[in-house]
Amino acid sequence: MRWRVGLLVLAAALLAGCVANDVEPINTHVTQVGPGSPDYLPDAPADGSTVVALSFSGGGTRATAFSYGVLRALDDVVVGSGGRAHTLIDDVRVVGGVSGGAVTAAYLGYKGRGYRELRERFLLRDAESSLRTAKLAPANLARLWKGGVNDRSTFAAWLDRNLFDGATYSAFRRPGAPLVWIHASDIYNGTAFGFTYDRFAAICSDLDKLRIADAVAASAAFPAVFAPVVVSTTTPTTRCNYKQPDWIERGLNDPEAPERVKAAARAMDSYQNNDRVNYIKLLDGGLTDNIAVVGFAESLDIAGSPHSPLSPQAAVRMRTLIMIVADAGRRKEPDWVTVKQGPGLMIDATAGTSIASSVRDEFDSLKLEFRLWREKLVKYRCSLPAAVVARYRGSLSGWKCRDVQMVVELVSFADLPPDEAAALNVIPTRLRLTPEQVERTIRAGRDAVRLNPRLQQAFRRAQGRAGFVAAGSP
């Protein structure tokens, strides 16, 4: 057996010069860059009293299915009756995702109420059919030697053909669409790489021209299975009219700036001013943020006003903000805790420990950020003249400046009965599941939301403001 492996390695080395990955950059340069990222989230429809924010974790198709179940649960909550009745799906103003969760986030941004097509177009299909999966094939070993077995000609191309219909980021500009935050990992700077207008302006590129499929594939580019996705930075011949936002200067020069802001600012600065950085190499977003909350945290860190990232009007109209973090990460009970020996090579154990720890820390940090933001938001609202409040709200009737509730909740398999959670945790984190596994995981997402008492209380609050009483409510 050993000599066979040796021959395969030798063959791979010889093939390495013949087999090449598709590492062409996913972006193109422009000489006049457009505007940077928007200052505010899109305003909510109707009366704007409820704002919903979502973030979806990585975890292959099971993460896509779990987050899809969360969307279905929100769609079950009817807010208002008569006139233009809508559900909480219509109140989603921002959605973030990494890896499998990025598929759901991007599809919601692309299709809006047509998001239900995701079940037939992705969840019940075999996305692995696009991948090179023969692990010991010499050509695949050669590709692995070059950086990864699969490249943008596999999964990204499959997504583009089968799910996103060749759409680019400009499709996210449809009326009423939420802001979409897809994240990958910049492995040179060791930071999250958000597909934002600010970042693409820094590399003299137009984000609107980027294929949605390429961003999602970069977010899901698990090391070794996929080669890094390549983004070209600026060169002396492609300088544009880019001007660094104020928050980058703060991150570079203010010793009191949050460490997250400093790291993001150094990365952004390197894209323009480090002559060694010709290309940004992107891998799975879960390496730097497996629950996709970095975009929310950064937006609060760099906010230029106490109401940001809400517009002044939205900050006055809002009464409840509901933030749901959907985590489909694995919490499998290991066999080696029952015996003295193990755990084996430690790879799975150490990776699982690292991810679980980072998820806890990231979520706790996010909750703290929202608590601090609420304090600033209340102070801002209470400082406004009555005339301004009336202009933003349409009237002063019912106005209470301190009436702002922020509900930030993590939903996961752990919210379900132990036997069900155990069954879900053995579902693999791959890009192909059986129909039974898909349906079970979708149901888990819906149930995790339904069983969360704080979310249900917030939903009833939103319905009560609209004068709508759900069937079965007291």
Side-chain angles (χ1 to χ4, degrees):
M1 178 63 181
R2 191 173 296 172
W3 65 269
R4 291 179 182 175
V5 173
L7 284 177
L8 286 170
V9 173
L10 177 61
L14 293 173
L15 278 170
C18 304
V19 175
N21 283 325
D22 179 355
V23 292
E24 287 303 307
I26 60 176
N27 64 311
T28 55
H29 293 299
V30 294
T31 55
Q32 293 294 315
V33 75
S37 299
D39 292 329
Y40 310 125
L41 303 181
D43 283 355
D47 67 353
S49 61
T50 303
V51 173
V52 179
L54 304 171
S55 68
F56 299 144
S57 80
T61 296
R62 83 175 196 175
T64 311
F66 187 70
S67 52
Y68 176 83
V70 170
L71 294 184
R72 293 300 305 272
L74 292 173
D75 221 357
D76 291 339
V77 183
V78 179
V79 182
S81 56
R84 186 186 178 277
H86 66 280
T87 73
L88 285 182
I89 282 290
D90 299 298
D91 291 323
V92 176
R93 297 295 81 207
V94 58
V95 55
V98 296
S99 193
V103 177
T104 314
Y107 204 68
L108 178 66
Y110 172 45
K111 284 288 188 176
R113 285 210 147 272
Y115 78 91
R116 292 193 184 191
E117 299 171 2
L118 183 66
R119 180 177 176 274
E120 284 70 32
R121 297 190 69 181
F122 182 82
L123 293 174
L124 296 178
R125 299 190 66 181
D126 179 10
E128 287 187 12
S129 64
S130 67
L131 304 183
R132 304 180 182 109
T133 56
K135 296 178 181 177
L136 295 181
N140 282 351
L141 289 174
R143 292 186 179 96
L144 179 61
W145 186 269
K146 290 271 190 177
V149 176
N150 292 278
D151 55 28
R152 66 188 300 237
S153 69
T154 57
F155 186 46
W158 188 94
L159 287 172
D160 196 51
R161 288 192 310 271
N162 295 287
L163 190 60
F164 294 112
D165 312 309
T168 66
Y169 255 69
S170 61
F172 290 152
R173 291 185 178 272
R174 62 176 179 80
L179 187 62
V180 178
W181 283 330
I182 297 172
H183 293 94
S185 296
D186 174 347
I187 57 175
Y188 172 75
N189 286 294
T191 57
F193 182 94
F195 285 84
T196 65
Y197 287 92
D198 273 353
R199 278 180 175 79
F200 274 69
I203 55 176
C204 294
S205 291
D206 184 355
L207 182 60
D208 279 340
K209 295 179 180 178
L210 184 80
R211 296 192 314 179
I212 297 173
D214 283 326
V216 173
S219 183
F222 192 79
V225 178
F226 293 94
V229 173
V230 178
V231 174
S232 173
T233 63
T234 58
T235 68
T237 58
T238 58
R239 295 294 181 187
C240 54
N241 63 328
Y242 172 70
K243 181 180 182 299
Q244 286 186 342
D246 292 341
W247 71 264
I248 294 182
E249 182 178 353
R250 178 188 170 213
L252 293 174
N253 301 311
D254 183 358
E256 299 301 319
E259 290 301 317
R260 180 170 45 230
V261 173
K262 291 179 182 179
R266 286 193 294 267
M268 291 276 283
D269 188 62
S270 74
Y271 304 153
Q272 279 264 331
N273 298 318
N274 186 336
D275 292 336
R276 295 186 66 249
V277 181
N278 297 319
Y279 301 100
I280 305 165
K281 304 295 179 70
L282 303 177
L283 285 175
D284 193 315
L287 297 175
T288 48
D289 175 21
N290 199 53
I291 54 173
V293 298
V294 67
F296 302 91
E298 280 188 1
S299 69
L300 294 173
D301 286 337
I302 67 176
S305 63
H307 55 75
S308 297
L310 296 177
S311 70
Q313 179 177 347
V316 170
R317 296 167 68 201
M318 186 188 75
R319 293 178 63 185
T320 302
L321 186 145
I322 301 169
M323 171 84 199
I324 302 176
V325 179
D327 178 20
R330 178 171 294 184
R331 300 291 186 274
K332 186 178 177 182
E333 186 73 18
D335 296 332
W336 46 263
V337 296
T338 63
V339 295
K340 289 186 289 184
Q341 195 75 11
L345 294 174
M346 301 289 289
I347 296 173
D348 190 53
T350 53
T353 299
S354 176
I355 291 174
S357 176
S358 66
V359 165
R360 290 192 298 269
D361 291 345
E362 288 166 8
F363 183 69
D364 286 346
S365 175
L366 183 72
K367 290 189 75 171
L368 176 60
E369 292 260 14
F370 271 85
R371 282 198 296 270
L372 296 174
W373 179 39
R374 183 189 178 278
E375 292 176 5
K376 292 190 293 185
L377 188 58
V378 166
K379 186 175 180 180
Y380 163 76
R381 285 161 53 104
C382 292
S383 70
L384 292 174
V388 173
V389 174
R391 185 170 74 249
Y392 287 156
R393 295 178 76 245
S395 94
L396 290 174
S397 176
W399 169 246
K400 297 178 182 178
C401 65
R402 302 189 64 82
D403 185 17
V404 179
Q405 181 186 51
M406 293 191 180
V407 181
V408 183
E409 291 294 313
L410 177 74
V411 296
S412 70
F413 297 161
D415 297 313
L416 305 172
D419 289 348
E420 182 63 14
L424 290 160
N425 273 316
V426 298
I427 294 176
T429 54
R430 56 188 300 178
L431 294 174
R432 178 183 64 200
L433 298 179
T434 67
E436 293 77 14
Q437 290 171 328
V438 168
E439 297 304 331
R440 186 169 205 161
T441 312
I442 292 173
R443 187 168 60 250
R446 294 179 87 161
D447 289 346
V449 172
R450 288 171 174 171
L451 292 172
N452 186 295
R454 289 165 296 279
L455 288 177
Q456 293 304 312
Q457 183 181 41
F459 296 167
R460 289 192 294 271
R461 174 179 162 97
Q463 290 174 320
R465 281 196 302 271
F468 179 81
V469 180
S473 296

